[in-house]
Amino acid sequence: ALGFNTACWAPELFFDDDDKIYLLISAGELGAMKIHMFECTNLANLTFSNDRTLPLYIDDVIDASLIKYNGAYYLTVKNNTTSKQIIFLSTNLLTFTVINSNVLNMNVECEGGQLLNINDRWYFYGDTWYNYGLYCYMQTDDITNFGYLIPNGLFGLRHGSVLYLEDREAINLITSIEDYNTTSRIKETRRL
């Protein structure tokens, strides 16, 4: 579906709670990148089809990350023209509304942004390579208004991923990795 001469980067998988798997990719001509979403139509062969460009109405966006929380979809992207992180809300993955047009509330370049919600608290993680050279995070109870960047000591890390694990087997697998104990990370304990 995407042309051979099309620039593509920042692929991300999204696992919806209806057992559908989507692939988001930044694609297009440099200076006019769009977010494309593909649906996995054959899991055994990892075949993705049904390409569609998300209607975000911004001329140049990259680094999409999508989560679902309380029945709604939250999409974060980088406006490549202004370098601002933007959060969109969707109820159906067909229409998107801006709910935060500048997550960082300042003129700091940030890429690879990701959202996470734990116990009704929003976390935003991003790569502030240009200004600080750090992978940073922010937290808030109001997704439309984040506070200040919190450097987490991951100097030089580019475009990390954020995982929320509840399954004990998955947690044991991740924590058994040899470098796990020497890796800086942010942990939140689920309130009971």
Side-chain angles (χ1 to χ4, degrees):
L2 297 175
F4 181 77
N5 292 324
T6 301
C8 297
W9 63 69
E12 178 167 311
L13 290 174
F14 169 68
F15 297 85
D16 207 343
D17 53 10
D18 61 0
D19 293 329
K20 289 188 178 178
I21 301 172
Y22 297 96
L23 174 66
L24 292 102
I25 296 178
S26 305
E29 296 179 22
L30 295 180
M33 301 290 282
K34 302 294 181 199
I35 304 302
H36 290 257
M37 178 182 277
F38 299 84
E39 184 179 339
C40 183
T41 52
N42 185 324
L43 184 59
N45 295 327
L46 284 179
T47 304
F48 289 86
S49 57
N50 304 328
D51 171 26
R52 60 189 168 95
T53 304
L54 298 185
L56 304 181
Y57 307 107
I58 298 172
D59 293 332
D60 191 17
V61 290
I62 62 170
D63 297 347
S65 181
L66 183 67
I67 69 166
K68 189 172 186 179
Y69 179 72
N70 281 347
Y73 298 92
Y74 295 86
L75 174 76
T76 182
V77 298
K78 176 189 177 189
N79 180 330
N80 220 21
T81 303
T82 65
S83 297
K84 306 262 188 275
Q85 286 288 325
I86 302 169
I87 300 173
F88 292 87
L89 174 67
S90 177
T91 57
N92 55 17
L93 294 178
L94 299 172
T95 58
F96 293 83
T97 303
V98 173
I99 60 170
N100 190 323
S101 60
N102 183 5
V103 174
L104 277 61
N105 292 321
M106 58 181 83
N107 290 326
V108 173
E109 290 196 30
C110 185
E111 292 185 347
Q114 294 197 326
L115 288 170
L116 189 64
N117 189 296
I118 301 173
N119 300 320
D120 296 323
R121 176 163 272 271
W122 288 98
Y123 296 84
F124 174 85
Y125 299 81
D127 173 4
T128 61
W129 65 275
Y130 184 79
N131 298 95
Y132 301 120
L134 291 171
Y135 199 69
C136 297
Y137 78 100
M138 304 170 77
Q139 58 188 353
T140 186
D141 293 327
D142 177 5
I143 195 168
T144 65
N145 186 21
F146 278 84
Y148 295 98
L149 283 174
I150 302 169
N152 68 1
L154 294 177
F155 181 76
L157 177 68
R158 298 297 315 273
H159 293 28
S161 289
V162 178
L163 296 174
Y164 178 70
L165 302 174
E166 289 186 9
D167 182 70
R168 177 50 46 195
E169 186 175 335
I171 293 169
N172 290 341
L173 177 64
I174 295 293
T175 56
S176 70
I177 296 171
E178 186 174 325
D179 291 337
Y180 178 79
N181 290 325
T182 60
T183 302
S184 295
R185 62 202 173 276
I186 298 163
K187 295 189 291 186
E188 168 89 9
T189 303
R190 179 179 273 280
R191 292 189 294 257
L192 300 177

